[in-house]
Amino acid sequence: KAGVTQTPRYLIKTRGQQVTLSCSPISGHRSVSWYQQTPGQGLQFLFEYFSETQRNKGNFPGRFSGRQFSNSRSEMNVSTLELGDSALYLCASSSDRLEPRDEQYFGPGTRLTVT
Amino acid sequence: AQKITQTQPGMFVQEKEAVTLDCTYDTSDPSYGLFWYKQPSSGEMIFLIYQGSYDQQNATEGRYSLNFQKARKSANLVISASQLGDSAMYFCAMNALTGNQFYFGTGTSLTVIP
């Protein structure tokens, strides 16, 4: 089985621009979660999508949004980028996480730098 | 509220020695899963080991073992015979059904010294 893939791997953007990151989960997985990781704040949960619906959301401003397609692929969008949005964005997939054993499988991440 | 606490920001261990990374958790769910992930400098999170709240025995995976003390709500990771390649960030995480979310600790940076 192919693992979780994220594109692009690296991205440099300018303040005020917007960016879209993509995540393809493991085949058969319907849950996709997004995390932001920074040295200062650690790993922070952004949101989770399941069967094209946002099932859970972290405490991030509305500039951060996401969606999931019928094939479970997910995108996250950040509008009006700020310097503080520079981070490693990790995507994780799991089958549905309704069982405690249902682990999350992570992608390699997209490293976003905002200048 | 669900919470994972890792109190060791950084740890050092001599090569071939054992090391214990601490993790405590808080949840009111009777059924939950506890995980440890390793994150090398490349960034990818690698699953290491899982412990279910109803598991009677401590989980083991090769050189990794999980010291699960349910009454104390702790799930410490023990790495035996440390190797240089073990140098990385280590995250403890919990999958509790309440809130339907994976909860991560702040991580412990492990450095293995030759």
Side-chain angles (χ1 to χ4, degrees), chain A residues 23-88:
Chain A
C23 172
S24 292
I26 290 172
S27 177
H29 283 187
R30 295 187 296 167
S31 167
V32 174
S33 298
W34 288 89
Y35 297 87
Q36 181 197 65
Q37 187 177 26
T38 59
Q41 298 296 320
L43 202 65
Q44 293 189 284
F45 172 72
L46 279 156
F47 29 64
E48 185 223 357
Y49 286 86
F50 180 79
S51 292
E52 302 180 65
T53 302
Q54 187 179 87
R55 191 162 65 171
N56 207 353
K57 188 178 188 301
N59 190 26
F60 276 81
R63 299 186 297 107
F64 292 81
S65 63
R67 59 178 176 169
Q68 187 180 34
F69 302 95
S70 58
N71 62 357
S72 293
R73 189 177 71 85
S74 177
E75 289 181 346
M76 68 162 279
N77 183 277
V78 188
S79 62
T80 320
L81 283 165
E82 300 177 0
L83 294 178
D85 297 333
S86 295
L88 178 67

Side-chain angles (χ1 to χ4, degrees), chain A residues 2-19:
Chain A
V4 178
T5 58
Q6 291 187 247
T7 57
R9 293 292 310 279
Y10 302 91
L11 206 49
I12 300 175
K13 289 286 189 179
T14 305
R15 268 180 303 175
Q17 287 185 316
Q18 75 163 16
V19 67

Side-chain angles (χ1 to χ4, degrees), chain B residues 7-8 10 15 30-31 33 43 53 55 59-60 62 64 66 70-71 74 83-84 87 98 102 104 110:
Chain B
T7 57
Q8 306 155 313
E15 195 178 5
S31 180
S53 60
D55 293 345
T60 59
Y64 304 107
L66 201 152
K70 194 171 182 177
S74 75
Q83 302 172 356
L84 296 178
S87 294
T98 300
F102 238 64
F104 283 88
L110 177 67

Side-chain angles (χ1 to χ4, degrees), chain B residues 1-5 23-27 34 73 94 103-105:
Chain B
Q2 328 294 328
K3 190 177 181 182
I4 292 277
T5 303
C23 172
T24 58
Y25 61 93
D26 192 16
T27 180
L34 295 160
K73 293 191 174 179
M94 176 172 63
Y103 300 87
F104 283 88

